[in-house]
Amino acid sequence: MAPGRRHRVLHAAGAAAIGLASAVAALGAGELVAYATGAPTAPVIAVGSAAIDLTPTPLKEYAVRTFGTHDKTVLLGGIYLTMALLAALAGLLAVRRPAAGAAVFGVFGALGAWAALSRPGAAAADCAPSIVAGLVGAAAVLFLVRLYRRALSGAAAHRPGAAEDEGTEQAVEGPEGAGPAVPSRPVGLTSRRTVLAATAGTFAVGALAGVGGRVLTDRRFDVTAARDAVRLPAPAAPLPPLPSAVHPPVPGLSPFTTPNADFYRVDTALTIPRIDPRDWALRIHGLVDRPQLITFDELLREPLEELDYTLSCVSNEVGGPYVGTSRWLGASLPALLRRAGVRSGADQLVGRSKDGMTIGTPLESVLDGRRALLAVAMNGEALPLAHGFPCRSLVPGFYGYTSATKWLVDLEVTTFAAFDPYWVRRGWDRTGTVRTASRIEVPAPFAKVPAGEVDVAGTAWATHRGIAAVEVRVDGGPWQQAELAADAGPDLWRQWTYRWSGASPGTHRIEVRATDATGAVQPEQRATPFPAGATGWHSTVVAVT
C-alpha cells in the first residue's frame, strides 16, 4: 500500500475508533443511570421499544415469521450495529469538525429521551439515561479528538523532512566530545500512544459501566425471590388430572400439556417487566358502578379456579409452533366484573400491561359463561416472568392479542367506539376469534420412512368450539378419517393419529384438515396471519424408502 493511502486508512481507522469508544462510553453511562430509572429506560431499550411501535405491520410479521422468538435479539443487534456505524461516522466527522461530531451524540441522546418519554406511563426522569448518554458521548468524542489532533500536529511539527519516516527516533547530540545522547522520542509518537491509550481506556471503562449497570439494574429489579415466595392457594374446585387417552403414544408427537419452559412467547417487550407482587395492584374502572383496586394478596383470597386451555398466537403460520396448552389457576374474571357492576352500553374490556400494551376483548364474550380468568399460575407454579407474572388475563376462544394481557395492571370497561387497542390501531381484526387449525407433527417434514405402514399424527384446535373430526389424505387422494384422541373439552386442542397403509417408495405429500364442533370444515384457501389469523391446510412431504 502506498504511504499516502496507508496514512489515510490509518487516519480513518483512528477517527472511527474514537467514535466507537465514545459511543460505548455513552451507552455505559446510560446503563448506569438506568439503575435508578429501570431497564426499559436504558437508551437502546427505549429506542428499540419505540422502533417496534413504529414498525409497519407487514415488517413485524416478516420478523416473527423469519426469526421467530429471536426477533427481539435480531432487532437489538440491528440497533447496536446501526449505532456502531453512526458512531464511526461521528468520529470521522469530529476530527474535521469536533462540534459536528459531538452534535451526533447529542441527537442520539435526544432521540433516546424522546423514545423513553413516548412510552405509556413514562415519567420525566425516564429520559435521564439517554440525556446523560448523549452528554457523555459528546464529551468523550471532544476529548479524544482533541488528543488526536494534538498528536497529528505534534507529528507534523517534528517531521524533519518529507523523505524522513514519521515516528523514527532522532539522536540528540550531547556535550562536545561526549557522543550522542540517549535517543529522544518525537512528540508525535508519544501523543499517538496517548491517544491509543485514552481511546482504549474510554472503550474499556464504557463497556465495564454498561455491563455493570445492566447487572446492577437486573439485580435491583429482580423479583425471582418474590415469585418463589408466592404460596398458591388450592383451587376452590380442583380439576381432575387429564386422562392419559388425550395423548396418543406416538414418538415425536407434542406433549398434550406444554411444559412452561417450552411455551411460546410472542410479545413486544424488549425487557420483561419485573413486578413485585407486594407492590402489584389491579385497577378495574371505566363504565362500572363500583371501581375496584385489588392487591395480589386479595386476588389470592378469591375462590381460585383451574382452567385447562390451549392458547395460540395470531402470528402463527399454518402448521406453526405458536400454540400451547397449560393448566392455569386464577380468579374468575366475570365474577370480578360483576362485582364492579358493568354499566349498560359497555362492549369492550381493555387490559393494560405494565409495559403499556393494550389488549381489547369483546365484553359480551367475557360474560357469556366461558371460564375467563385472571391467571396467577401455570402448570402448578406461579406464572413465569416471561408469561406475565404476577397476573395475566385469559379468555378462551380468542387469540392472545385480543384476550391475554401479560403483566396486567389495569382493566377498563369501555366501548369499541371509544378506544382502539394496540393491535387494532395497526390494522388487526378487532375480535380475534381463533380459526380452526390442524398440523402434522409425525412424520417430520422431509423425513425418510420405511415402506409399508406409516404412523401419521398431529394436533388440531378450534378453541371454545372444539374439534369434531380430522381427515388426512396422501398425494391428493380421497380424505380418510383420522382417529381422534380423547376429547378433554372445547377449550383444548385435540390430538389425532392415522395409520397410512401401503406406503410405497418415493416422495409423497400428506395433508390434513379439521372440522370443528359446529360442523365447519377448515378452509383450504391459504391466508396469511394478518389481519385475522392464518388459514389453509397443513401439509408435509416425506420420502418412503
Side-chain angles (χ1 to χ4, degrees):
M1 183 181 295
R5 185 179 179 186
R6 178 173 177 271
H7 174 74
R8 288 192 296 271
V9 169
L10 291 176
H11 175 71
I18 285 174
L20 290 171
S22 300
V24 172
L27 293 180
E31 291 288 352
L32 282 177
V33 178
Y35 171 77
T37 55
T41 65
V44 171
I45 301 300
V47 171
S49 298
I52 289 175
D53 290 346
L54 295 173
T55 299
T57 295
L59 187 55
K60 282 185 180 179
E61 281 304 293
Y62 172 80
V64 173
R65 184 171 61 252
T66 305
F67 305 113
T69 55
H70 300 293
D71 58 338
K72 299 174 185 63
T73 302
V74 172
L75 172 63
L76 289 174
I79 292 174
Y80 280 116
L81 178 60
T82 301
M83 287 185 58
L85 293 174
L86 291 176
L89 290 174
L92 291 168
L93 181 62
V95 296
R96 292 175 176 266
R97 298 178 180 175
V104 173
F105 288 94
V107 170
F108 167 74
L111 177 63
W114 167 83
L117 292 176
S118 70
R119 307 304 299 161
D126 292 347
C127 66
S130 293
I131 291 176
V132 171
L135 292 174
V136 169
V141 78
L142 289 174
F143 170 73
L144 293 176
V145 163
R146 184 179 180 186
L147 290 180
Y148 186 69
R149 296 177 77 169
R150 283 183 176 178
L152 293 179
S153 299
H158 218 87
R159 188 180 296 117
E164 193 168 322
D165 186 27
E166 181 180 320
T168 57
E169 295 187 347
Q170 306 291 324
V172 180
E173 290 295 327
E176 186 177 351
V182 177
S184 67
R185 298 179 183 272
V187 175
L189 182 58
T190 303
S191 297
R192 280 196 291 272
R193 286 179 175 174
T194 300
V195 173
L196 179 62
T199 303
T202 301
F203 189 97
V205 170
L208 182 62
V211 174
R214 180 61 60 88
V215 170
L216 290 173
T217 302
D218 288 345
R219 286 181 179 176
R220 180 186 175 192
F221 294 96
D222 185 25
V223 295
T224 303
R227 175 182 177 271
D228 293 342
V230 171
R231 295 295 175 260
L232 297 170
L239 292 177
L242 290 168
S244 59
V246 299
H247 178 63
V250 178
L253 183 63
S254 297
F256 189 85
T257 298
T258 309
N260 289 355
D262 298 333
F263 206 94
Y264 78 92
R265 179 196 168 199
V266 177
D267 54 52
T268 64
L270 285 179
T271 58
I272 296 173
R274 290 169 168 81
I275 307 171
D276 192 316
R278 293 166 295 188
D279 300 328
W280 179 88
L282 174 66
R283 181 186 176 212
I284 303 177
H285 64 108
L287 297 177
V288 296
D289 296 324
R290 297 171 294 277
Q292 307 283 307
L293 189 65
I294 304 169
T295 67
F296 191 69
D297 286 342
E298 290 170 340
L299 188 64
L300 294 184
R301 288 197 290 269
E302 294 288 327
L304 300 187
E305 302 178 2
E306 287 185 313
L307 171 66
D308 291 325
Y309 174 50
T310 297
L311 180 64
S312 57
C313 179
V314 71
S315 295
N316 212 27
E317 297 280 349
V318 172
Y322 304 137
V323 58
T325 294
S326 292
R327 173 162 288 188
W328 309 87
L329 175 71
S332 169
L333 178 55
L336 292 172
L337 291 176
R338 291 190 176 99
R339 184 184 305 169
V342 176
R343 293 177 183 172
S344 176
D347 60 11
Q348 180 178 210
L349 179 66
V350 174
R352 287 182 173 82
S353 168
K354 176 68 173 178
D355 68 345
M357 172 60 65
T358 54
I359 286 178
T361 311
L363 186 59
E364 64 177 358
S365 298
V366 179
L367 301 174
D368 68 359
R370 69 188 76 197
R371 299 184 66 190
L373 291 185
L374 294 181
V376 297
M378 182 178 181
N379 290 331
E381 63 178 78
L383 288 172
L385 299 183
H387 294 291
F389 179 79
C391 179
R392 70 177 297 166
S393 60
L394 294 167
V395 183
F398 299 96
Y399 290 116
Y401 84 100
T402 59
S403 67
T405 311
K406 295 190 286 191
W407 313 293
L408 179 68
V409 295
D410 185 281
L411 284 171
E412 181 183 5
V413 178
T414 183
T415 65
F416 284 111
F419 183 78
D420 285 337
Y422 183 92
W423 294 112
V424 173
R425 293 197 301 269
R426 285 152 181 80
W428 290 87
D429 176 64
R430 185 178 295 279
T431 303
T433 302
V434 173
R435 295 180 179 270
T436 302
S438 56
R439 69 185 183 194
I440 301 166
E441 299 175 20
V442 180
F446 306 108
K448 293 182 179 179
V449 297
E453 292 192 340
V454 176
D455 284 327
V456 183
T459 307
W461 60 92
T463 45
H464 207 60
R465 298 188 304 280
I467 295 294
V470 171
E471 299 169 285
V472 176
R473 71 177 182 181
V474 179
D475 296 330
W479 288 102
Q480 304 293 329
Q481 289 288 331
E483 182 179 351
L484 293 176
D487 187 0
D491 292 333
L492 292 150
W493 57 15
R494 200 165 182 185
Q495 297 191 308
W496 54 269
T497 57
Y498 172 72
R499 180 61 61 89
W500 175 22
S501 300
S504 59
T507 301
H508 299 275
R509 184 168 181 250
I510 309 172
E511 295 174 283
V512 63
R513 71 181 184 185
T515 301
D516 70 18
T518 70
V521 179
Q522 181 181 349
E524 176 184 9
Q525 184 177 5
R526 284 276 179 140
T528 61
F530 180 79
T535 62
W537 298 338
H538 186 224
S539 64
T540 191
V541 174
V542 297
V544 177
T545 59

